[in-house]
Amino acid sequence: MWYKSGMQKAKNQRCKPDNQKAIGYIRVSTEEQHLGPEAQRDAMKKWCKANNKIFVAVFSDLGISGGAPIDKRPGLISAIESLKEQQAGILLVAKRDRLARDVVIAAMIERLAERTGAKVLTTDGTGNGDSPEAMLLRGIVDVFAQYERALIRSRTKAGLAVKKNRNERRGGLPFGFRLAGDGLLLTQATV
């Protein structure tokens, strides 16, 4: 009965979370989304105020894909650790796709939060709750987030192929270079 002792051990490790405390998590996949983090933070503050919750802390992963594994998301790891340290009962995200754009990763994050005794909630309310319908909705939203990630990847790949066929530059500029009007690379020192 090794599984029973493991389950009991997991139950004993859980803290008694304060369901009034929320730890926020912000994620944007590109650095160009300058207003994204601010908008997510504002949504969390408004949600906490409207729901009489205490917004304890917020952690961010900026420029990190929603498909990135958990160990490549230092902000998320800190948020989950903060759930334990602060004994917070809520891991709050603005929208479900900010959590992950991969069904398996989203489920893993949910489980990590559950192990601390916390729940993942969204400021838009989608899938919040314990009912079978809420669980179903979370799963549907996670599948569509993964689908949208696949669409974005497909469009990007197609766009890069068009640029390649036109012999246009693809990707970022190397450090110390700038792009001339004719598309040639110039060193920063070149006038």
Side-chain angles (χ1 to χ4, degrees):
M1 296 291 190
W2 59 269
Y3 64 90
K4 284 188 179 178
S5 63
M7 288 172 52
Q8 188 63 38
K9 190 176 186 181
K11 283 183 183 178
N12 292 339
Q13 290 176 342
R14 290 184 185 156
C15 62
K16 298 216 187 298
D18 182 346
N19 292 328
Q20 296 301 99
K21 292 181 181 179
I23 303 294
Y25 175 64
I26 293 170
R27 186 193 63 76
V28 291
S29 52
T30 63
E31 293 178 18
E32 288 83 36
Q33 294 173 303
H34 300 293
L35 294 178
E38 186 178 327
Q40 290 177 49
R41 182 177 283 111
D42 287 347
M44 289 180 211
K45 286 179 181 177
K46 287 177 185 174
W47 184 90
C48 285
K49 186 175 181 179
N51 291 281
N52 297 317
K53 304 297 181 189
I54 303 163
F55 194 45
V56 177
V58 64
F59 297 90
S60 303
D61 283 323
L62 307 179
I64 297 182
S65 167
I70 294 170
D71 64 342
K72 303 294 184 202
R73 297 167 157 206
L76 177 62
I77 292 169
S78 295
I80 291 169
E81 288 172 355
S82 187
L83 287 171
K84 293 178 208 170
E85 292 165 5
Q86 300 293 329
Q87 294 185 338
I90 300 167
L91 177 60
L92 187 62
V93 291
K95 294 188 180 210
R96 189 86 186 164
D97 66 354
R98 300 299 85 206
L99 191 62
R101 286 194 182 268
D102 180 289
V103 174
V104 173
I105 293 171
M108 290 171 61
I109 295 168
E110 288 263 1
R111 293 295 157 95
L112 288 171
E114 286 173 4
R115 284 184 182 166
T116 70
K119 293 180 181 182
V120 176
L121 299 178
T122 62
T123 62
D124 66 1
T126 303
N128 289 354
D130 296 322
S131 70
E133 295 80 10
M135 291 172 56
L136 174 64
L137 188 54
R138 286 194 298 271
I140 290 169
V141 171
D142 291 346
V143 167
F144 274 95
Q146 182 171 310
Y147 171 68
E148 187 174 359
R149 177 174 171 247
L151 286 176
I152 292 166
R153 187 181 301 150
S154 177
R155 286 192 299 260
T156 301
K157 190 174 179 180
L160 289 173
V162 168
K163 283 184 153 222
K164 182 178 180 181
N165 289 338
R166 292 181 184 167
N167 290 323
E168 292 178 8
R169 176 153 184 79
R170 300 169 311 279
L173 295 175
F175 181 75
F177 286 83
R178 64 183 175 86
L179 202 54
D182 60 1
L184 292 176
L185 282 178
L186 301 174
T187 63
Q188 291 291 359
T190 307
V191 178

